[in-house]
Amino acid sequence: MPRDHRPAKSIRVLLAEDQGMMRGALALLLGLEADIEVVAQVGTGDAIVDAALLHRPDVALLDIELPGISGLDAAAELRDQAPGCRVLILTTFGRPGYLRRAMEAGASGFLVKDGPVEELAAAIRRVLAGETVVDPALATAALSAGPNPLTARECDVLKASVDGATVSDIAARLHLSESTVRNYLSSAIGKTGTRNRMEAMREARQQGWL
């Protein structure tokens, strides 16, 4: 719609999505809404806060898995540095743990990407109006799944286990002793009901705990 046909005050949206084609398509479709204007687009998590401080969006539409920091970590930073900006998480991965972490980070909404753009536009309007918008099926799954059983340090150790890192590598990376790392790994394996740390990491990612 031509800009001069827009309302006097459009909803200003920041869009964070690492896939360029998806990002462009979302921006185009949202821009067709009479009351929505995409004022910034970024492809990495590290760029979100700076873009928000520069462009002052009303709503930040964030993917979770982004290069740099995740959309969930960026949401927490936005809560502190741009408290007037509402956050709506839009992700391919509808995992109960992600929903819990998003709400803890101050997000106002959580949707998966398989819905129509009209539903997304409506969610943007609703979170700006002060509502919390969550995919109903995911909300039910999150309630039944329960909280993350892993401690923050157990999560750190599992994250550091990627790419075949040895216990020694993890210890050096996290400034811990090797025996402490082994204890955290053993505890995480037990809590996830898996056989080894790689299975534990995969299970924790699948649940959205990492």
Side-chain angles (χ1 to χ4, degrees):
M1 176 173 292
R3 186 176 296 275
D4 58 354
H5 286 181
R6 289 181 178 275
K9 180 170 173 52
S10 296
I11 302 171
R12 297 169 59 82
V13 172
L14 180 154
L15 178 58
E17 162 64 53
D18 64 327
Q19 297 182 27
M21 186 176 295
M22 172 69 76
R23 185 169 65 246
L26 277 174
L28 179 63
L29 291 170
L30 288 173
L32 295 175
E33 298 291 320
D35 58 341
I36 294 176
E37 180 182 8
V38 178
V39 296
Q41 301 179 46
V42 299
T44 67
D46 297 333
I48 291 171
V49 173
D50 286 344
L53 294 176
L54 177 63
H55 296 281
R56 297 295 176 181
D58 301 304
V59 177
L61 186 60
L62 310 181
D63 194 2
I64 292 179
E65 298 195 356
L66 296 166
I69 67 172
S70 73
L72 298 175
D73 291 332
E77 291 190 13
L78 285 175
R79 177 185 55 197
D80 297 333
Q81 299 191 45
C85 178
R86 301 279 183 174
V87 172
L88 178 57
I89 300 293
L90 181 67
T91 181
T92 304
F93 304 102
R95 296 169 180 166
Y98 278 167
L99 173 57
R100 286 182 175 275
R101 290 169 59 196
M103 296 299 104
E104 290 169 359
S108 299
F110 193 109
L111 296 176
V112 292
K113 290 180 180 176
D114 59 359
V117 71
E118 293 82 8
E119 181 179 303
L120 176 58
I124 290 172
R125 298 182 188 105
R126 289 173 62 191
V127 298
L128 185 60
E131 295 183 45
T132 299
V133 181
V134 176
D135 179 270
L138 185 58
T140 301
L143 287 173
S144 62
N148 179 2
L150 302 174
T151 66
R153 228 24 176 156
E154 288 165 355
C155 288
D156 289 340
V157 169
L158 286 180
K159 289 176 186 176
S161 298
V162 297
D163 303 325
T166 65
V167 169
S168 178
D169 294 333
I170 298 169
R173 190 175 301 169
L174 298 179
H175 307 290
L176 299 171
S177 70
E178 292 187 18
S179 62
T180 298
V181 169
R182 290 191 181 92
N183 288 339
Y184 282 134
L185 287 173
S186 177
S187 178
I189 290 167
K191 288 179 179 179
T192 55
T194 53
R195 296 174 297 179
N196 55 57
R197 60 182 166 132
M198 298 311 296
E199 287 187 6
M201 182 179 65
R202 283 195 294 270
E203 177 63 18
R205 285 192 180 280
Q206 182 63 35
Q207 293 296 331
W209 297 331
L210 300 185

